[in-house]
Amino acid sequence: MKHHAWRLATGLTAAASALAVGVAAIPASASDDEYKVLVVGETLGFRHSHIDETTEAVIAIGEERGFTVDVWDSRQPELTLTSTPFTSAEDLAQYATIVFASPVDGTNNQDPARPRLLNDSELTALQGYIRDGGGYVGLHAATDTMHAVPWYSQLSGGSARFASHPAQQTATMRVESPAHPSTEMLPAEWTRFDEWYNFTSNPREDVHVLITLDESTYNPGRDAMGADHPIAWCHNFEGGRSWYEGAGHVDSSYSDPVFLAHLTGGIEWTAGKVSGGGDCVTFKEVDGIVTSLSTGSNRAEKLGGDVADYLDRAEAAADAGDHAGAIKVLKQAKGKAHGLQDGTLVEKIADLIEWQQALV
């Protein structure tokens, strides 16, 4: 504990010093109300060296931004809780968000007999916490744990799980959602050295992609994903908020002011302390709301069909890069949605408009 305290006591750790520079784009109001964050570094398989640096960085961010941190990681005995925090959804409710810092458990062989990060009762606690509005931050190998638990893979990113990675190298990322609180401080093209994951599937259909990898700028290896390679994303999931960044393997990430500002935005967005840029809405999410409003009345069916048609047209325009056209159609959808008298639907369409406006 003395070593850790010495590094943090004066506020001059690399993470804290970098943070002071890197989070200027995040509103000061985000730190007005103190809250708690849980960092999960517990591992049952390969252990990433960055976990200690991640933990200290999040603690330093908390000191700067107004939250306290609990740690669950038996390999950091001076910091860890004495027992699992995943006892119940009610106990987890003390945390505004939970950071999964590469907690690999060795289940990528899909063997159901192999111990996993969370057992059945702990998983139930996490599910209840998310469904009650909790936050989830996944870093790097957070997609390389609980491989045989489909619900967790959906939470971490539309069923995309870690598949492989080439040698560590420099690559260029491209920001796709530039107005989100976790990306508004990033350059449009962000070049850095890291370990670049290939995933078992492309999560785009289920998540709001924040950043993609340009595979032409590095050697992606045998499991290359091609022209569309999401690397960071977020989504609203079963009542909670999920944010994932596939970079962050190298220890130096956690003294990089740009990366720390990006991470801070992810923590604060999942904690519900900041918003913007469309708040990670997806067309699929809004389509689901329209479908759920089907009441059987002719009027509601007609309005719902009109809204669904507008959403399909707007999504096609957005996919084609015609963001101005998408906005025009979405405004028509929003007008029709008022007739369904559902505030959530109107709000979510407004989020789609805000997202697309940032891309014009």
Side-chain angles (χ1 to χ4, degrees), residues 58-89:
V58 175
I59 291 171
I61 292 170
E63 291 177 347
E64 292 284 341
R65 306 299 292 170
F67 61 82
T68 56
V69 177
D70 282 349
V71 178
W72 184 43
D73 181 7
S74 59
R75 296 282 292 275
Q76 298 187 79
E78 75 283 6
L79 295 176
T80 191
L81 297 167
T82 56
S83 60
T84 175
F86 292 88
T87 49
S88 68

Side-chain angles (χ1 to χ4, degrees), residues 11-356:
L12 294 178
T13 64
S17 298
L19 185 66
V21 176
V23 300
I26 305 224
S29 59
S31 61
D32 287 348
D33 300 318
E34 187 166 301
Y35 55 100
K36 290 181 71 175
V37 169
L38 174 65
V39 173
V40 177
E42 188 71 5
T43 51
L44 303 179
F46 173 79
R47 182 177 175 85
H48 284 72
S49 63
H50 76 79
I51 293 174
D52 289 12
E53 280 74 10
T54 303
T55 303
E56 293 195 357
V58 175
I59 291 171
I61 292 170
E63 291 177 347
E64 292 284 341
R65 306 299 292 170
F67 61 82
T68 56
V69 177
D70 282 349
V71 178
W72 184 43
D73 181 7
S74 59
R75 296 282 292 275
Q76 298 187 79
E78 75 283 6
L79 295 176
T80 191
L81 297 167
T82 56
S83 60
T84 175
F86 292 88
T87 49
S88 68
E90 292 75 19
D91 288 342
L92 288 175
Q94 65 184 293
Y95 302 111
T97 192
I98 301 175
V99 179
F100 279 62
S102 291
V104 175
D105 64 3
T107 58
N108 53 350
N109 66 353
Q110 299 287 335
D111 180 359
R114 177 167 288 188
R116 62 178 194 246
L117 177 68
L118 302 180
N119 62 30
D120 287 348
S121 62
E122 291 170 325
L123 178 62
T124 297
L126 177 62
Q127 290 173 323
Y129 165 78
I130 292 296
R131 291 163 181 164
D132 288 341
Y136 167 92
V137 170
L139 287 172
H140 194 54
T143 52
D144 191 17
T145 193
M146 295 194 284
H147 282 263
V149 181
W151 180 88
Y152 176 80
S153 294
Q154 292 161 11
L155 167 68
S156 61
S159 298
R161 306 188 313 275
F162 164 75
S164 67
H165 63 78
Q168 296 175 28
Q169 57 196 292
T170 299
T172 296
M173 297 181 282
R174 304 192 186 280
V175 175
E176 281 202 24
S177 187
H180 188 267
S182 68
T183 56
E184 61 185 357
M185 74 293 293
L186 300 180
E189 295 186 356
W190 186 17
T191 300
R192 54 179 282 114
F193 179 87
D194 216 308
E195 181 177 86
W196 305 110
Y197 275 7
N198 296 308
F199 301 98
T200 55
S201 62
N202 188 322
R204 184 177 293 276
E205 182 67 22
D206 298 303
V207 300
H208 180 111
V209 175
L210 295 168
I211 307 172
T212 56
L213 266 175
D214 183 347
E215 289 192 353
S216 72
T217 65
Y218 75 109
N219 178 3
R222 68 179 185 275
D223 294 317
M225 296 178 68
D228 185 21
H229 187 151
I231 193 66
W233 54 76
C234 56
H235 62 145
N236 302 292
F237 181 74
E238 294 190 0
R241 297 167 303 279
S242 170
W243 183 94
Y244 172 78
E245 171 54 73
H249 172 91
V250 295
D251 296 354
S252 59
S253 300
Y254 304 95
S255 58
D256 174 356
V258 178
F259 190 89
L260 287 173
H262 175 53
L263 172 58
T264 299
I267 291 171
E268 293 187 336
W269 180 78
T270 57
K273 302 301 179 181
V274 296
S275 62
D279 281 328
C280 297
V281 71
T282 65
F283 281 99
K284 184 175 182 178
E285 176 188 353
V286 183
D287 283 335
I289 296 172
V290 175
T291 300
S292 71
L293 293 176
S294 177
T295 62
S297 75
N298 290 336
R299 179 176 179 276
E301 292 294 334
K302 177 65 168 61
L303 284 170
D306 289 344
V307 173
D309 180 60
Y310 283 132
L311 289 171
D312 287 344
R313 288 166 53 194
E315 184 173 13
D319 289 345
D322 180 11
H323 303 294
I327 293 166
K328 182 178 179 180
V329 179
L330 285 168
K331 287 181 177 178
Q332 293 174 296
K334 185 180 176 184
K336 285 284 187 180
H338 280 289
L340 290 169
Q341 298 183 337
D342 185 88
T344 299
L345 175 60
V346 173
E347 180 183 335
K348 290 292 184 179
I349 295 176
D351 286 337
L352 286 174
I353 293 171
E354 183 179 1
W355 169 31
Q356 293 300 303

